Amino acid sequence: MLGGIWGIITTIVVGLILGVIGRMLAKGDQKIPMWLTILVGIIAAFIGNWLAGLFGVENTDGIDWIRHAFQVGAAVIGVIAAAAAYPKIAGGRTAHRS
């Protein structure tokens, strides 16, 4: 198990990758900051791993494509939910100009 600083760095990088993929696959314009994209990606990684465990596919020979599909799916759903909730959480502040 990775620990220490490398575990933190790995978690952030995986979160960034999953969050960006989630943003690319989600329909519409997501006006959320990068820190929220990374947070969504990190949470999506945990949810995807949990779902893979539920379905018994958390450990397979080779690349765990099914686990990664669960993670990406969770990231897409998370980005959509975060984009819908963020303006309300941030007090209605958006980047729109009239």
Side-chain angles (χ1 to χ4, degrees):
M1 179 171 170
L2 288 175
I5 191 71
W6 288 114
I8 294 168
I9 291 170
T10 302
T11 300
I12 292 169
V13 170
V14 168
L16 173 65
I17 293 168
L18 282 171
V20 168
I21 291 171
R23 283 182 80 154
M24 289 186 332
L25 295 177
K27 293 196 181 253
D29 190 23
Q30 301 82 34
K31 296 191 183 316
I32 59 173
M34 187 54 68
W35 67 264
L36 187 53
T37 302
I38 294 170
L39 182 63
V40 166
I42 291 168
I43 294 169
F46 286 112
I47 291 172
N49 289 343
W50 175 72
L51 288 171
L54 280 180
F55 287 92
V57 293
E58 70 274 19
N59 294 314
T60 60
D61 293 334
I63 299 173
D64 296 331
W65 293 112
I66 299 170
R67 178 171 51 96
H68 296 315
F70 282 134
Q71 291 172 332
V72 170
V76 170
I77 293 168
V79 164
I80 292 168
Y86 184 71
K88 295 174 183 104
I89 295 169
R93 290 177 285 160
T94 60
H96 297 297
R97 292 186 183 199
S98 301

